[in-house]
Amino acid sequence: MHNKKDMRQSTKSEENIVPGRKPVLELLRNNPQSVDLVLVQEGAHGKELGEILDLCRSSRVRFRLSSRTDLARLFSGNTQGVVARVSESRFIELDELLAQAMDAPLPLILALDQVQDPGNIGAMARTLFALGGAGLIVPKDRTAYMGAAAVKSSAGALTRLPVAKVVNLSRALDTCVDAGWPVYGSIVDPKGENMYARRLSTPAVLVMGNEEKGIRPGVAKRCSERLTIPLQRNFDSLNVAQAAAIIMGEFLRQKLL
């Protein structure tokens, strides 16, 4: 159970909060050890809420029935009557990610170079997981926090994908190359390589850049191939999550040939 002192401490930030029935359910199914506390709204009903409480009991995860006001203090958006507070130690080491990534249906790792929108991170994670991808690499600084908003937009996929947080993305990509993982970069440039004209083999790392500035030059140097999507109309560009989905889909298509 939980006391009022814990509640006051948990209201200081939404960063470690996962809201919503499906995301919390996926978290408890796949990574219960990362959950510090689950709050369920008093009077809320539904099959998923019942399963959440059953999983809390079986996994020895602390939970509490709370008021709508208490949940609103933890997360300002729609909680669907449930939130989970997770520990900050949800990340794994890069070497560990590389070691287990080959077992994924699609051994593709997504590296995010200073992506700022948690919704974009969540959307890319959702696509990556659905296609069988292996995990993500994110830099420690200047990246959107992978908390409540990102987890919710991923429909729980972020609770099921391993994520390595690194101090220096360029050095992390060097490590990937040394381990036999070629690095591809997504760019918006006529000089880029038409992704449909390239052989996209796995295992591989795909780098997606910042929403406005794209991939930084130092990171781009680590990309053996710089892929571009051949747009068929005169159009500004695609959202980073949309572009990532298209490229990841092509990786899977070629793997299945």
Side-chain angles (χ1 to χ4, degrees):
M1 288 296 183
H2 187 56
N3 59 43
K4 290 185 180 296
K5 181 180 179 181
D6 290 332
M7 274 295 297
R8 288 194 298 270
Q9 291 173 341
S10 66
T11 60
K12 66 180 181 180
S13 173
E14 294 183 358
E15 289 185 343
N16 296 329
I17 299 301
V18 175
R21 299 186 183 192
K22 183 174 180 179
V24 172
L25 193 55
E26 293 291 346
L27 186 64
L28 289 169
R29 284 172 176 167
N30 297 284
N31 197 15
Q33 65 273 15
S34 71
V35 183
D36 176 55
L37 171 72
V38 173
L39 296 183
V40 177
Q41 183 178 316
E42 293 174 330
H45 300 286
K47 180 180 178 181
E48 289 176 322
L49 288 179
E51 188 173 352
I52 285 170
L53 293 176
D54 288 342
L55 285 170
C56 286
R57 295 184 183 100
S58 63
S59 301
R60 296 183 177 274
V61 172
R62 296 187 302 163
F63 69 91
R64 179 183 175 180
L65 298 180
S66 302
S67 68
R68 181 192 295 268
T69 301
D70 284 341
L71 267 66
R73 290 195 187 105
L74 285 169
F75 184 72
S76 56
N78 182 14
T79 67
Q80 298 179 317
V82 61
V83 298
R85 188 178 69 190
V86 298
S87 64
E88 295 183 359
S89 57
R90 291 183 293 157
F91 301 100
I92 66 173
E93 296 296 325
L94 177 59
D95 290 344
E96 184 180 354
L97 172 59
L98 293 174
Q100 66 187 50
M102 286 300 297
D103 295 330
L106 178 65
L108 178 68
I109 294 173
L110 194 61
L112 307 182
D113 186 20
Q114 298 188 347
V115 174
Q116 299 297 304
D117 186 341
N120 284 332
I121 292 179
M124 287 187 280
R126 184 174 187 172
T127 302
L128 181 67
F129 181 78
L131 297 182
L136 297 99
I137 301 172
V138 297
K140 182 178 180 180
D141 298 320
R142 298 177 184 175
T143 296
Y145 189 83
M146 297 170 66
V151 171
K152 190 170 184 180
S153 64
S154 77
L158 271 176
T159 68
R160 306 179 71 174
L161 281 169
V163 181
K165 180 178 282 189
V166 298
V167 174
N168 186 295
L169 183 58
S170 294
R171 287 201 296 267
L173 295 177
D174 288 338
T175 299
C176 293
V177 172
D178 291 342
W181 288 70
V183 177
Y184 297 81
S186 171
I187 65 171
V188 181
D189 192 326
K191 297 179 182 179
E193 299 162 293
N194 182 341
M195 58 169 283
Y196 294 112
R198 308 301 298 177
R199 173 59 182 156
L200 306 181
S201 59
T202 51
V205 177
L206 172 62
V207 182
M208 302 301 300
N210 175 271
E211 289 88 345
E212 294 184 5
K213 299 179 180 179
I215 300 174
R216 289 172 293 164
V219 174
K221 290 179 181 179
R222 273 70 180 184
C223 301
S224 58
E225 296 193 48
R226 303 180 189 184
L227 306 175
T228 186
I229 300 171
L231 301 181
Q232 300 300 292
R233 284 196 169 99
N234 185 17
F235 193 66
D236 182 21
S237 66
L238 296 171
N239 171 279
V240 64
Q242 296 168 331
I246 291 171
I247 300 174
M248 287 189 284
E250 181 62 13
F251 268 100
L252 178 61
R253 187 192 72 82
Q254 294 196 23
K255 183 179 184 296
L256 296 177
L257 288 178

